[in-house]
Amino acid sequence: MSSFSAPSTGRRRNLYAPPPCPHLADYRSNAHGLAKPFRSLQPCLRVRPLGRPEIRREPQEIPRCSPCSAADGGGCGMGPRLYACLACAAVCCPAHAPSHAEECRPGHEIAVDVDRAELFCCACGDQVYDREFDKAVVLAQIAAAAANASASCSLPESLRKRRRVDYRPWTPDPREWATMRRESSPLLLPDASDPYSAGAANTSTSSPSSPPWGLRGLNNLGNTCFMNSVLQALLHTPPLRNYFLSDRHNRFVCQQKRRRKKDGSGGSMGGDRRNPSGGLPVCLACDLDAIYSGVFSGDRTPYSPAKFLYRWWQYASKLASYEQQDAHEFFISMLDGIHENVEQDQHKPQSQGNGDCCIAHRVFSGVLRSDVTCTICGFTSTTYDPCLDISLDLDSNQNYTNVPTTKSHACNGENDLILSSQICGVSTLMGCLERFTRPERLDSDQKFFCQHCKVRQESLKQMSIRKLPLVTGFHIKRFAHSSIKKMSRKVDRYLQFPFSLDMAPYLSSSILRSRFGNRIFAFDGDDSDAAIDLASEFELFAVITHSGTIEAGHYVTYLRLSNQWYKCDDAWITHVSENIVRDSQAYMLFYVQKTLYYEASEDVSAS
Amino acid sequence: MSASNDGNSSPRSQFASHCFEDLLDSIIVDVASECHRIARLGLDRNLEEEEEELRLSVQARVADPSSSSEVNSKNVVDVFGQTHPAIAAEILKCMNCRQRVVAGRFAPHLEKCMGKGRKARKVTRSTVARSSHPHGSPVSVYAPYSNATSTNTAPNGTSGHAGEEYADYPYGET
């Protein structure tokens, strides 16, 4: 099978194999008269627990370099690397391997590192790669794992891929045009010559000629900046915004439905928190729809989300108090509220993984995969859980001194920022994600019951992202609550975050692949579609920051609209430079998928 | 790696050094082999982009971050040319009690009005018994708005008063 062309600009393709060197190509084409190359190796592929493959003719064989042993007359002849020639199975150390290839050529150039199952071309003096060989190794590893009867939760039904379809643009037909003209009134467009749109006074950067649509301050109703900051981010979450602006949840229609439903059931239905007797059931999506209408109306005076606060307090009564609250808690509560209301009304399935239930999950819901591996026998237990966002720990490593960035910049030069940031202790979002997906050895008091060993064993746990949501929200755990000390403290540590983020290294497919030694193989959950690479690229569009202390702090949202950044501080909207955003103390970060794909709908009637 | 040349050259210590060196070499080759594979297969992250983001971040932090627009954003004209008072002055109509309330004080008003939060004072005799919550958490007390002898209902329910929308009983929360 011919290899693909080189990946462009370093972007990886899942099954990419580099072009073989001439010796490898020769070996493959000749295959020494065998039907399959590497066939002689197959029975020698042995897999140690935890998956490390090696080449041994006999299970307990100890390979030695024959020339070394002969010369030393008893020298051990073992080095850090030993190569077994694929043609004649002669074992050599790196010093003697080239001469073996030279003496026995042609045909003896390709060897295999016996301890690592890696191909080596003795003539080129370099490690080489082959898809067939890797496939053989992975199959051996999988077979070894299966022998341990790994239990994996079968992938939830909802995640089986649906067929991708092309985007079909919609244009209204004449009848629809007529309806639109009749039933709507034009919004007043911002006037380019309007003195108000000349830009904020105190910024050094120039602002655009007129502020974008949907930019509108939100009045603080009394310690409600936690709500305003999240609302601003959600109002400008592209898929969510499009949904509501496309009238997909019309509050008037929904209200009628709810009224009819309530009347139909013969009066008040007590016992439902969404339905205080005497009133209609609460629908947070309707209240959000009202805010969208208000904020995108063109009116630029600050909007007071009073009704929304009232409704939300009806829904989430435990959180209802005039106190400083946590923006992240509000975010989750709000999404849950939208889900519940819509789900109950439309009797859609509860499964959140594929987001079919409601718009909140369609936009924000992803699936996390958790693997727990027994360190003794390699048995792995896999579970999948849906998530609305990803909460990350800030490394509160006391070993890091918070070195001022000027120093780090000077001492390490421009070319080694990644390394210098690790040394000088700057936390980065990608660093947090790496830690999130790193195999973690569970404490001895958290021993996992291994189904294979039938006892509790020390185990490794590793998280990965099985399915990325359309919008990935990150929650930086800055508030450390100690239930023992009954106090909370805030971690003010700066976190660097990128404006463009590639989530590919944190996907389950990547994590799984690296567990198998990064072999060229189509793993479960892999999408050989080249488009998968683009599906993991995200762009930042909103940052919620917290300044101050836990008791007395303030939330502010930075929004990215048409690549301009705006600071939304309750009612005050100002244009700010990129630098201010990069320097801010991020508490929640919102990234949207750069490229959207359309899946064939299972519902025939859906548009 | 050269053999260690500490004064101790007994065969045992030499052998120990040799073993150590072998192990160290082996680990180094492990890492080299893995990195070589990652680099050759193009699996390494887009390092240039990552470096660029870090560079921009460093640049941003070095540039004076405390420009006046950051600190005094509440005293400036906003992007629409408006100024706003510290406390929002818009007059709103409370959905619960129909009173007119200043926007900036709407939340504290609503809290009392709906009987939520620790500051709610309207506790009637009929609700005191229910307020001894098994979990002991600071739960907001359900306070019927008007009638002191309002009916009790099951923990998940709300008592009925036509035309008035009551907050939900907190025990119903998951």
Side-chain angles (χ1 to χ4, degrees):
Chain A
M1 195 172 170
S2 63
S3 49
F4 292 8
S5 54
S8 50
T9 62
R11 286 266 172 270
R12 66 183 174 84
R13 299 282 162 87
N14 288 347
L15 293 176
Y16 169 72
C21 72
H23 313 100
L24 181 62
D26 275 346
Y27 176 83
R28 285 194 53 96
S29 56
N30 297 341
H32 292 264
L34 297 170
K36 278 187 187 170
F38 314 114
R39 205 149 195 311
S40 51
L41 275 182
Q42 205 98 18
C44 304
L45 264 173
R46 303 185 194 273
V47 180
R48 309 248 287 268
L50 294 188
R52 194 177 160 105
E54 57 185 17
I55 307 288
R56 296 284 188 273
R57 275 174 298 188
E58 304 299 324
Q60 304 305 322
E61 176 195 12
I62 300 175
R64 290 172 196 279
C65 171
S66 358
C68 281
S69 306
D72 292 355
C76 46
M78 303 200 299
R81 273 180 292 160
L82 285 174
Y83 293 108
C85 174
L86 286 186
C88 66
V91 176
C92 297
C93 69
H96 292 117
S99 44
H100 173 85
E102 183 74 19
E103 285 159 18
C104 305
R105 100 173 116 118
H108 290 242
E109 293 90 358
I110 307 296
V112 62
D113 181 329
V114 298
D115 286 323
R116 294 170 190 89
E118 291 282 14
L119 294 175
F120 188 81
C121 176
C122 302
C124 300
D126 199 9
Q127 195 160 289
V128 291
Y129 304 97
D130 183 272
R131 185 179 287 109
E132 290 295 320
F133 177 72
D134 275 358
K135 183 173 171 184
V137 173
V138 173
L139 290 177
Q141 289 172 311
I142 290 178
N148 283 342
S150 290
S152 51
C153 194
S154 60
L155 210 55
E157 285 276 326
S158 51
L159 283 188
R160 274 199 262 109
K161 262 181 42 64
R162 277 184 278 181
R163 188 173 50 96
R164 288 229 166 100
V165 293
D166 283 336
Y167 171 64
R168 282 190 330 260
W170 170 84
T171 46
D173 61 32
R175 198 175 52 85
E176 284 162 335
W177 268 122
T179 309
M180 288 196 303
R181 267 190 224 106
R182 204 174 51 237
E183 305 291 341
S184 58
S185 46
L187 290 171
L188 298 166
L189 289 174
D191 186 356
S193 60
D194 188 339
Y196 281 1
S197 39
N202 284 356
T203 56
S204 52
T205 54
S206 59
S207 31
S209 55
S210 59
W213 273 119
L215 198 57
R216 193 172 172 188
L218 296 174
N219 277 328
N220 187 316
L221 307 174
N223 271 349
T224 60
C225 58
F226 70 91
M227 178 178 75
N228 286 350
S229 55
V230 171
L231 281 178
Q232 287 287 14
L234 293 179
L235 286 168
H236 295 276
T237 295
L240 200 63
R241 173 204 66 201
N242 295 350
Y243 179 84
F244 281 97
L245 290 184
S246 316
D247 210 28
R248 299 289 297 277
H249 188 101
N250 183 308
R251 60 188 180 278
F252 305 107
V253 170
C254 180
Q255 201 174 45
Q256 278 182 350
K257 274 195 221 165
R258 284 183 278 140
R259 190 164 284 135
R260 259 184 268 126
K261 195 172 167 188
K262 178 198 151 228
D263 291 341
S265 62
S268 60
M269 313 187 303
D272 180 350
R273 68 154 157 221
R274 289 179 46 237
N275 188 10
S277 300
L280 289 176
V282 168
C283 177
L284 283 182
C286 282
D287 302 303
L288 189 58
D289 186 50
I291 302 185
Y292 271 104
S293 293
V295 162
F296 281 85
S297 64
D299 184 351
R300 301 297 198 175
T301 61
Y303 180 89
S304 294
K307 182 125 190 236
F308 188 86
L309 180 70
Y310 174 62
R311 293 286 189 215
W312 177 62
W313 274 359
Q314 285 184 310
Y315 166 73
S317 43
K318 230 186 214 156
L319 298 177
S321 76
Y322 168 58
E323 282 174 4
Q324 278 258 356
Q325 302 207 17
D326 182 34
H328 178 246
E329 216 172 41
F330 171 73
F331 171 70
I332 299 293
S333 164
M334 193 173 145
L335 293 187
D336 280 343
I338 293 176
H339 168 75
E340 256 197 48
N341 298 169
V342 173
E343 185 265 329
Q344 284 193 15
D345 282 341
Q346 302 182 11
H347 307 289
K348 281 208 171 143
Q350 270 281 351
S351 110
Q352 301 167 0
N354 62 350
D356 272 351
C357 48
C358 66
I359 185 60
H361 284 108
R362 180 76 190 92
V363 174
F364 290 100
S365 181
V367 178
L368 292 180
R369 172 178 167 144
S370 167
D371 292 316
V372 182
T373 307
C374 172
T375 52
I376 308 299
C377 69
F379 174 81
T380 304
S381 162
T382 303
T383 49
Y384 295 98
D385 287 302
C387 65
L388 282 172
D389 64 0
I390 299 178
S391 286
L392 297 170
D393 283 302
L394 258 184
D395 51 344
S396 58
N397 195 336
Q398 258 72 34
N399 295 337
Y400 284 140
T401 50
N402 222 339
V403 177
T405 49
T406 43
K407 190 170 171 189
S408 72
H409 185 81
C411 75
N412 286 296
E414 286 209 8
N415 290 340
D416 216 349
L417 280 168
I418 295 178
L419 187 61
S420 73
S421 77
Q422 286 170 353
I423 293 172
C424 298
V426 175
S427 300
T428 64
L429 180 68
M430 298 188 81
C432 290
L433 280 168
E434 264 169 62
R435 238 175 310 115
F436 181 73
T437 54
R438 179 186 296 175
E440 178 198 335
R441 192 167 277 266
L442 296 179
D443 290 339
S444 45
D445 55 353
Q446 286 175 336
K447 278 192 186 162
F448 160 74
F449 182 80
C450 173
Q451 307 223 359
H452 188 247
C453 301
K454 303 291 185 206
V455 288
R456 290 196 175 274
Q457 302 279 26
E458 292 219 347
S459 45
L460 287 173
K461 178 175 165 187
Q462 188 169 31
M463 302 291 304
S464 56
I465 302 171
R466 173 59 183 86
K467 178 181 165 269
L468 285 166
L470 279 179
V471 174
T472 306
F474 294 109
H475 166 232
I476 310 300
K477 299 204 271 196
R478 290 187 178 279
F479 300 115
H481 301 286
S482 164
S483 49
I484 308 157
K485 294 185 192 169
K486 293 252 179 262
M487 47 177 245
S488 314
R489 67 179 184 91
K490 183 187 171 197
V491 181
D492 269 314
R493 199 174 159 77
Y494 171 74
L495 178 81
Q496 182 275 341
F497 51 90
F499 281 15
S500 296
L501 177 64
D502 186 357
M503 294 290 288
Y506 317 110
L507 293 177
S508 298
S509 53
S510 306
I511 299 292
L512 207 60
R513 177 175 307 108
S514 74
R515 216 183 277 158
F516 281 90
N518 287 316
R519 302 279 169 176
I520 308 164
F521 186 77
F523 289 94
D524 169 46
D526 247 5
D527 192 346
S528 53
D529 191 335
I532 193 73
D533 299 331
L534 299 174
S536 63
E537 290 183 19
F538 284 74
E539 279 295 313
L540 180 70
F541 67 90
V543 181
I544 297 182
T545 67
H546 182 271
S547 51
T549 60
I550 289 189
E551 302 83 23
H554 187 53
Y555 289 102
V556 155
T557 303
Y558 292 97
L559 290 178
R560 186 187 199 179
L561 300 167
S562 312
N563 217 23
Q564 299 294 316
W565 283 96
Y566 297 90
K567 177 181 181 186
C568 305
D569 183 350
D570 289 325
W572 291 266
I573 311 277
T574 48
H575 181 271
V576 295
S577 72
E578 224 183 74
N579 283 348
I580 289 188
V581 181
R582 286 190 189 275
D583 188 42
S584 65
Q585 191 188 91
Y587 178 58
M588 293 180 72
L589 295 159
F590 293 92
Y591 289 83
V592 65
Q593 211 169 309
K594 249 168 120 166
T595 320
L596 296 179
Y597 295 92
Y598 294 88
E599 288 169 341
S601 175
E602 289 172 349
D603 178 7
V604 199
S605 61
S607 58
Chain B
M1 225 178 132
S2 60
S4 60
N5 46 8
D6 52 3
N8 196 349
S9 58
S10 75
R12 181 174 290 183
S13 67
Q14 271 184 357
F15 187 61
S17 300
H18 192 67
C19 279
F20 173 78
E21 282 164 22
D22 268 1
L23 281 172
L24 187 59
D25 281 347
S26 198
I27 292 171
I28 292 173
V29 172
D30 275 350
V31 175
S33 171
E34 287 168 21
C35 291
H36 187 281
R37 172 177 274 274
I38 287 172
R40 192 56 68 86
L41 297 187
L43 294 176
D44 48 357
R45 299 196 304 257
N46 211 333
L47 289 175
E48 298 94 39
E49 277 183 14
E50 223 184 295
E51 286 281 349
E52 176 65 14
E53 291 278 0
L54 273 171
R55 188 187 64 79
L56 287 170
S57 171
V58 165
Q59 202 176 284
R61 302 191 73 203
V62 165
D64 180 17
S66 56
S67 55
S68 55
S69 67
E70 170 68 25
V71 173
N72 295 323
S73 58
K74 297 218 163 141
N75 297 333
V76 302
V77 171
D78 69 13
V79 78
F80 311 115
Q82 303 164 120
T83 52
H84 310 289
I87 297 182
E90 186 186 351
I91 304 295
L92 306 170
K93 191 167 167 203
C94 176
M95 306 93 208
N96 210 29
C97 66
R98 317 274 184 255
Q99 275 180 37
R100 288 159 60 89
V101 185
V102 168
R105 308 215 191 278
F106 180 74
H109 162 85
L110 192 65
E111 188 199 32
K112 293 198 201 80
C113 184
M114 285 171 80
K116 297 279 188 202
R118 297 198 300 246
K119 301 198 176 117
R121 280 176 284 115
K122 296 192 181 181
V123 177
T124 64
R125 215 166 290 147
S126 60
T127 59
V128 165
R130 265 186 304 168
S131 72
S132 50
H133 195 278
H135 302 301
S137 53
V139 165
S140 53
V141 175
Y142 176 74
Y145 184 62
S146 53
N147 200 328
T149 58
S150 63
T151 55
N152 279 353
T153 61
N156 272 347
T158 57
S159 64
H161 278 267
E164 285 182 279
E165 299 200 45
Y166 284 107
D168 295 316
Y169 199 67
Y171 296 177
E173 185 69 51
T174 47

